[in-house]
Amino acid sequence: MASRIPLSAVTVGDELPALIMTFTRDDLVRYAHASGDMNPIHREEEFAKSVGLPDVIAHGMLTMGRAIKVVTDWVADPTAVVDYSVRMTRPVVVPAGSGVDVEFAGKVAAINDDGTIRVDLTATFDGQTVLGQARATVRLA
Amino acid sequence: MNREMIGHQYPASDALVVTEEIIRDFALAIGDDNPIYFDQTVAQSFGHATVCAPPTFPIVVTMAAMEKSFNDPALNMDFTRVVHSDQRFEYVRPIAVGDPLVVITVVEDIRALGNNDIATFRTEVMAHGELVVTGWSKLVVRGDE
């Protein structure tokens, strides 16, 4: 677990570089195959609408998987993440075409007694947050 | 859902042996190009024996294991009404190529919230008898309106 960021360089309130990632229908198909989650609400517009959704929605786990990139890009070694949790509060709605953008951001929320830090993450789509209580515990160098 | 199932532990899932291809496909699917997922030389420069898996990779095995338990009639769970609301992973060590991952699923909690049931499943991902990562998945099972 070799982070390139030393603990001594970090202060509570520090913002990590934000990321904007585009979600397309093709991304959802690729994630369905890689994860094994073949639920048609993530692939079939007609089915998604039949169960009351506005359109096809992204897998919540895809949003979770992308959000942590804010941390893993920053520390370089993804295994520095020792705990990661999210609440999936709203879906990312993905219409056909060029896709939609989700902005991911992170902030150092606490420096823990054991030398780890807590990073609070946000994911914003269409002006609203789609993840709640998104937190990563990270062991720095 | 059947609250008497709280604490029930399901038998270990069949092993999934981790390969470079499975890790690469998952990393590409989440849009993460970190070289530690793709390049063994880079991974080794960070002290790892093989390429490592992305933090949410364990869902590949934990979701499959949980879905088997959802089919248990004793649980009395309507999978067509399930929404995955919360996920947590606590990592013990990185997942590496060659790990034969098995999952032990435990029904940690079932509680009512209005007309819905909220079920928490704990998934213990093991390799060679040792814990690699623990997952917690909270699922909302929508009741009748």
Side-chain angles (χ1 to χ4, degrees):
Chain A
M1 301 187 194
S3 155
R4 68 173 179 192
I5 306 283
L7 180 61
S8 57
V10 171
T11 307
V12 172
D14 285 356
E15 291 184 7
L16 280 56
L19 294 172
I20 293 175
M21 297 186 81
T22 304
F23 287 59
T24 67
R25 290 275 183 89
D26 284 349
D27 292 339
L28 307 194
V29 171
R30 188 174 302 131
Y31 185 77
H33 287 287
S35 69
D37 183 343
M38 304 303 279
N39 190 324
I41 61 173
H42 308 303
R43 292 179 296 142
E44 295 171 21
E45 185 170 327
E46 205 168 306
F47 181 86
K49 288 177 174 170
S50 77
V51 296
L53 294 167
D55 205 326
V56 165
I57 62 168
H59 305 73
M61 287 304 304
L62 173 58
T63 308
M64 181 181 187
R66 288 184 161 186
I68 194 66
K69 190 168 188 288
V70 170
V71 174
T72 57
D73 279 2
W74 180 60
V75 296
D77 184 348
T79 70
V81 178
V82 295
D83 199 303
Y84 178 34
S85 58
V86 306
R87 172 160 290 179
M88 295 168 249
T89 51
R90 278 195 197 88
V92 174
V93 180
V94 183
S98 56
V100 293
D101 286 344
V102 178
E103 182 174 2
F104 298 100
K107 190 184 273 190
V108 176
I111 295 173
N112 300 317
D113 291 342
D114 65 359
T116 61
I117 65 165
R118 194 184 97 210
V119 176
D120 286 357
L121 295 160
T122 57
T124 310
F125 159 67
D126 205 15
Q128 293 188 304
T129 59
V130 292
L131 297 178
Q133 299 174 32
R135 294 174 171 178
T137 306
V138 186
R139 184 171 300 285
L140 299 179
Chain B
M1 290 182 66
N2 179 6
R3 279 153 186 73
E4 288 178 4
M5 294 297 284
I6 295 170
H8 184 78
Q9 177 177 314
Y10 287 92
S13 62
D14 294 338
L16 173 85
V17 179
V18 177
T19 64
E20 289 183 359
E21 290 72 25
I22 296 173
I23 290 176
R24 187 182 62 223
D25 288 350
F26 190 86
L28 289 172
I30 59 171
D32 195 335
D33 56 0
N34 192 309
I36 288 183
Y37 306 141
F38 301 94
D39 186 334
Q40 175 152 306
T41 308
V42 174
Q44 286 174 340
S45 75
F46 281 89
H48 305 296
T50 75
V51 293
C52 302
T56 58
F57 176 82
I59 199 70
V60 173
V61 287
T62 62
M63 189 56 76
M66 281 193 295
E67 282 178 1
K68 280 201 164 169
S69 69
F70 298 163
N71 293 323
D72 177 5
L75 199 56
N76 190 27
M77 179 170 178
D78 183 353
F79 184 49
T80 65
R81 290 170 173 254
V82 165
V83 176
H84 186 187
S85 71
D86 296 70
Q87 180 65 40
R88 177 184 172 203
F89 296 109
E90 182 183 50
Y91 307 93
V92 177
R93 68 143 169 97
I95 288 175
V97 172
D99 281 341
L101 300 179
V102 300
V103 182
I104 294 166
T105 301
V106 179
V107 183
E108 192 165 275
D109 191 35
I110 302 170
R111 62 182 63 200
L113 186 70
N115 289 329
N116 301 332
D117 278 334
I118 314 284
T120 305
F121 291 83
R122 186 173 76 246
T123 47
E124 296 167 355
V125 182
M126 324 274 293
H128 304 296
E130 290 185 356
L131 186 63
V132 177
V133 50
T134 305
W136 286 267
S137 300
K138 198 174 278 189
L139 306 169
V140 179
V141 187
R142 286 178 292 114
D144 296 323
E145 296 302 321

